[in-house]
Short mmCIF file of all heavy atoms in Angstrom, two decimals:
data_model
loop_
_atom_site.label_atom_id
_atom_site.label_comp_id
_atom_site.label_asym_id
_atom_site.label_seq_id
_atom_site.Cartn_x
_atom_site.Cartn_y
_atom_site.Cartn_z
N GLU B 1 133.80 85.25 75.26
CA GLU B 1 133.89 86.00 76.67
C GLU B 1 133.58 87.53 76.51
O GLU B 1 133.06 88.12 77.38
CB GLU B 1 135.24 85.78 77.25
CG GLU B 1 135.61 84.34 77.49
CD GLU B 1 134.94 83.85 78.59
OE1 GLU B 1 134.00 84.40 79.22
OE2 GLU B 1 135.32 82.62 79.01
N GLU B 2 134.11 88.20 75.36
CA GLU B 2 133.84 89.56 75.31
C GLU B 2 132.34 89.85 75.07
O GLU B 2 131.85 90.79 75.69
CB GLU B 2 134.65 90.15 74.04
CG GLU B 2 134.59 91.67 73.85
CD GLU B 2 135.43 92.06 72.69
OE1 GLU B 2 135.38 91.35 71.64
OE2 GLU B 2 135.98 93.22 72.70
N ARG B 3 131.69 89.00 74.37
CA ARG B 3 130.30 89.18 74.17
C ARG B 3 129.52 88.88 75.44
O ARG B 3 128.62 89.52 75.93
CB ARG B 3 129.76 88.25 73.19
CG ARG B 3 130.13 88.49 71.72
CD ARG B 3 129.32 89.61 71.21
NE ARG B 3 129.59 89.81 69.73
CZ ARG B 3 129.00 90.76 69.05
NH1 ARG B 3 128.33 91.69 69.58
NH2 ARG B 3 129.39 90.90 67.70
N ALA B 4 130.02 87.79 76.28
CA ALA B 4 129.33 87.50 77.56
C ALA B 4 129.54 88.68 78.44
O ALA B 4 128.47 88.99 79.19
CB ALA B 4 130.05 86.22 78.04
N VAL B 5 130.64 89.25 78.67
CA VAL B 5 130.88 90.38 79.50
C VAL B 5 129.87 91.51 79.31
O VAL B 5 129.38 92.10 80.15
CB VAL B 5 132.35 90.76 79.60
CG1 VAL B 5 132.51 92.11 80.36
CG2 VAL B 5 133.16 89.64 80.24
N ASP B 6 129.72 91.80 77.97
CA ASP B 6 128.90 92.89 77.48
C ASP B 6 127.53 92.61 77.91
O ASP B 6 126.80 93.49 78.38
CB ASP B 6 128.95 92.97 75.93
CG ASP B 6 128.66 94.43 75.36
OD1 ASP B 6 129.18 95.41 76.06
OD2 ASP B 6 127.98 94.44 74.40
N VAL B 7 127.03 91.31 77.58
CA VAL B 7 125.66 90.95 77.98
C VAL B 7 125.45 90.96 79.43
O VAL B 7 124.43 91.58 79.97
CB VAL B 7 125.24 89.60 77.35
CG1 VAL B 7 123.94 89.12 77.96
CG2 VAL B 7 125.25 89.66 75.86
N TYR B 8 126.35 90.48 80.18
CA TYR B 8 126.21 90.25 81.69
C TYR B 8 126.19 91.60 82.46
O TYR B 8 125.46 91.74 83.44
CB TYR B 8 127.26 89.40 82.27
CG TYR B 8 127.15 87.91 81.81
CD1 TYR B 8 128.34 87.14 81.95
CD2 TYR B 8 125.98 87.40 81.22
CE1 TYR B 8 128.24 85.72 81.56
CE2 TYR B 8 126.03 86.10 80.85
CZ TYR B 8 126.98 85.33 81.06
OH TYR B 8 126.97 84.00 80.66
N ARG B 9 127.09 92.58 81.79
CA ARG B 9 127.02 93.94 82.44
C ARG B 9 125.62 94.60 82.25
O ARG B 9 125.16 95.17 83.31
CB ARG B 9 128.11 94.76 81.87
CG ARG B 9 129.52 94.38 82.49
CD ARG B 9 130.57 95.28 81.58
NE ARG B 9 131.94 94.88 82.11
CZ ARG B 9 133.06 95.28 81.45
NH1 ARG B 9 132.93 95.89 80.26
NH2 ARG B 9 134.22 95.01 81.93
N ALA B 10 125.19 94.49 81.09
CA ALA B 10 123.76 95.09 80.86
C ALA B 10 122.65 94.35 81.77
O ALA B 10 121.84 95.12 82.22
CB ALA B 10 123.42 95.06 79.39
N TYR B 11 122.74 93.02 81.86
CA TYR B 11 121.74 92.31 82.63
C TYR B 11 121.89 92.66 84.04
O TYR B 11 120.93 92.86 84.75
CB TYR B 11 122.08 90.82 82.27
CG TYR B 11 121.22 89.85 83.00
CD1 TYR B 11 119.85 90.09 83.17
CD2 TYR B 11 121.65 88.59 83.35
CE1 TYR B 11 119.00 89.12 83.69
CE2 TYR B 11 120.88 87.68 83.90
CZ TYR B 11 119.51 87.89 84.08
OH TYR B 11 118.76 87.00 84.73
N GLU B 12 123.16 92.75 84.56
CA GLU B 12 123.39 92.94 86.05
C GLU B 12 122.83 94.42 86.40
O GLU B 12 122.18 94.57 87.46
CB GLU B 12 124.92 92.95 86.23
CG GLU B 12 125.26 93.50 87.59
CD GLU B 12 124.97 92.62 88.85
OE1 GLU B 12 124.34 91.64 88.60
OE2 GLU B 12 125.50 92.93 89.92
N GLU B 13 122.93 95.33 85.54
CA GLU B 13 122.59 96.67 85.75
C GLU B 13 121.01 96.77 85.92
O GLU B 13 120.42 97.30 86.84
CB GLU B 13 122.84 97.69 84.62
CG GLU B 13 122.37 99.11 84.88
CD GLU B 13 122.84 100.05 83.72
OE1 GLU B 13 123.49 99.58 82.73
OE2 GLU B 13 122.35 101.19 83.76
N LEU B 14 120.23 95.97 85.08
CA LEU B 14 118.77 95.94 85.18
C LEU B 14 118.34 95.07 86.40
O LEU B 14 117.36 95.38 87.03
CB LEU B 14 118.22 95.31 83.93
CG LEU B 14 118.21 96.25 82.72
CD1 LEU B 14 117.72 95.48 81.51
CD2 LEU B 14 117.58 97.58 82.95
N LEU B 15 119.15 94.08 86.67
CA LEU B 15 118.81 93.20 87.97
C LEU B 15 118.83 94.12 89.25
O LEU B 15 118.06 94.00 90.20
CB LEU B 15 119.70 92.03 88.03
CG LEU B 15 119.63 90.98 87.04
CD1 LEU B 15 120.73 89.97 87.16
CD2 LEU B 15 118.24 90.30 87.30
N ARG B 16 119.90 94.89 89.30
CA ARG B 16 120.19 95.86 90.48
C ARG B 16 118.97 96.95 90.50
O ARG B 16 118.41 97.16 91.61
CB ARG B 16 121.37 96.56 90.45
CG ARG B 16 122.60 95.52 90.43
CD ARG B 16 122.86 94.92 91.76
NE ARG B 16 121.83 94.13 92.16
CZ ARG B 16 121.60 92.74 91.75
NH1 ARG B 16 122.35 92.35 90.87
NH2 ARG B 16 120.56 92.10 92.17
N GLN B 17 118.62 97.47 89.33
CA GLN B 17 117.54 98.47 89.29
C GLN B 17 116.19 97.89 89.83
O GLN B 17 115.48 98.52 90.46
CB GLN B 17 117.36 99.06 87.87
CG GLN B 17 118.50 99.84 87.42
CD GLN B 17 118.43 100.32 85.94
OE1 GLN B 17 117.41 100.13 85.30
NE2 GLN B 17 119.39 101.01 85.43
N ARG B 18 115.96 96.74 89.48
CA ARG B 18 114.69 96.00 89.88
C ARG B 18 114.82 95.22 91.17
O ARG B 18 113.78 94.60 91.55
CB ARG B 18 114.28 95.07 88.72
CG ARG B 18 113.95 95.85 87.47
CD ARG B 18 113.86 95.00 86.27
NE ARG B 18 113.63 95.75 85.06
CZ ARG B 18 112.44 95.88 84.41
NH1 ARG B 18 111.44 95.26 84.93
NH2 ARG B 18 112.33 96.64 83.42
N GLU B 19 115.99 95.23 91.73
CA GLU B 19 116.25 94.52 93.10
C GLU B 19 115.85 93.16 93.00
O GLU B 19 115.23 92.48 93.91
CB GLU B 19 115.43 95.21 94.13
CG GLU B 19 115.78 96.70 94.50
CD GLU B 19 115.06 97.39 95.55
OE1 GLU B 19 114.16 96.83 96.00
OE2 GLU B 19 115.58 98.43 95.93
N LEU B 20 116.19 92.48 91.89
CA LEU B 20 116.04 91.02 91.68
C LEU B 20 117.13 90.24 92.31
O LEU B 20 118.21 90.77 92.53
CB LEU B 20 115.80 90.72 90.19
CG LEU B 20 114.59 91.14 89.51
CD1 LEU B 20 114.68 90.94 88.04
CD2 LEU B 20 113.32 90.44 90.07
N PRO B 21 116.82 88.98 92.90
CA PRO B 21 117.70 88.28 93.72
C PRO B 21 118.88 87.46 92.90
O PRO B 21 119.19 86.42 93.26
CB PRO B 21 116.76 87.33 94.40
CG PRO B 21 115.76 86.97 93.49
CD PRO B 21 115.46 88.33 92.78
N ILE B 22 119.32 88.06 91.89
CA ILE B 22 120.34 87.55 91.07
C ILE B 22 121.70 88.50 91.03
O ILE B 22 121.33 89.67 90.62
CB ILE B 22 119.98 87.01 89.71
CG1 ILE B 22 118.77 86.11 89.75
CG2 ILE B 22 121.14 86.41 88.89
CD1 ILE B 22 118.18 85.83 88.43
N GLN B 23 122.78 88.09 91.27
CA GLN B 23 123.89 89.06 91.25
C GLN B 23 125.07 88.42 90.38
O GLN B 23 125.43 87.18 90.73
CB GLN B 23 124.42 89.33 92.72
CG GLN B 23 123.39 90.04 93.58
CD GLN B 23 123.93 90.55 94.83
OE1 GLN B 23 125.12 90.90 94.99
NE2 GLN B 23 123.11 90.62 95.85
N LEU B 24 125.59 89.09 89.64
CA LEU B 24 126.58 88.56 88.62
C LEU B 24 127.96 89.08 88.81
O LEU B 24 128.79 88.94 87.89
CB LEU B 24 126.09 88.96 87.20
CG LEU B 24 124.66 88.43 86.79
CD1 LEU B 24 124.46 88.84 85.24
CD2 LEU B 24 124.53 86.94 86.93
N SER B 25 128.14 89.84 89.93
CA SER B 25 129.48 90.51 90.17
C SER B 25 130.63 89.52 90.12
O SER B 25 131.63 89.69 89.50
CB SER B 25 129.43 91.30 91.40
OG SER B 25 129.09 90.51 92.55
N GLY B 26 130.44 88.40 90.94
CA GLY B 26 131.44 87.40 90.96
C GLY B 26 131.68 86.68 89.67
O GLY B 26 132.88 86.51 89.18
N LEU B 27 130.66 86.36 88.92
CA LEU B 27 130.75 85.71 87.66
C LEU B 27 131.44 86.64 86.59
O LEU B 27 132.29 86.22 85.82
CB LEU B 27 129.27 85.27 87.12
CG LEU B 27 129.25 84.57 85.85
CD1 LEU B 27 128.03 83.54 85.99
CD2 LEU B 27 129.00 85.35 84.67
N LEU B 28 131.10 87.89 86.69
CA LEU B 28 131.74 88.86 85.75
C LEU B 28 133.29 88.93 86.07
O LEU B 28 134.04 89.04 85.04
CB LEU B 28 131.17 90.29 85.99
CG LEU B 28 129.91 90.59 85.10
CD1 LEU B 28 129.15 91.82 85.57
CD2 LEU B 28 130.43 90.83 83.64
N LYS B 29 133.66 88.89 87.20
CA LYS B 29 135.04 88.87 87.54
C LYS B 29 135.75 87.72 86.88
O LYS B 29 136.90 87.81 86.42
CB LYS B 29 135.34 88.96 89.03
CG LYS B 29 135.08 90.18 89.74
CD LYS B 29 135.17 90.21 91.24
CE LYS B 29 134.80 91.50 91.82
NZ LYS B 29 134.94 91.39 93.36
N GLU B 30 135.24 86.57 86.97
CA GLU B 30 135.74 85.25 86.45
C GLU B 30 135.80 85.44 84.86
O GLU B 30 136.82 85.12 84.33
CB GLU B 30 134.98 84.12 86.85
CG GLU B 30 135.16 83.77 88.31
CD GLU B 30 134.42 82.41 88.65
OE1 GLU B 30 133.78 81.88 87.86
OE2 GLU B 30 134.85 81.98 89.84
N GLU B 31 134.81 85.96 84.22
CA GLU B 31 134.82 86.08 82.78
C GLU B 31 135.90 87.01 82.41
O GLU B 31 136.50 86.84 81.36
CB GLU B 31 133.45 86.57 82.35
CG GLU B 31 132.26 85.63 82.59
CD GLU B 31 132.26 84.28 81.82
OE1 GLU B 31 133.47 83.95 81.32
OE2 GLU B 31 131.34 83.60 81.70
#
């Protein structure tokens, strides 16, 4: 889970910068 949160945060930041239609905020909260 610690690794996953680290990866998902970095992935989410790039998704938002590129305005891609995937959002990980809810998934991150669960992890």
Side-chain angles (χ1 to χ4, degrees):
E1 299 286 11
E2 189 179 34
R3 290 285 186 184
V5 167
D6 206 43
V7 171
Y8 293 163
R9 283 175 178 165
Y11 183 32
E12 168 77 353
E13 181 179 356
L14 290 177
L15 289 170
R16 299 287 64 76
Q17 289 176 4
R18 295 166 184 260
E19 299 183 346
L20 290 171
I22 302 172
Q23 297 187 32
L24 305 182
S25 57
L27 187 145
L28 270 166
K29 288 179 182 178
E30 288 188 349
E31 300 289 22

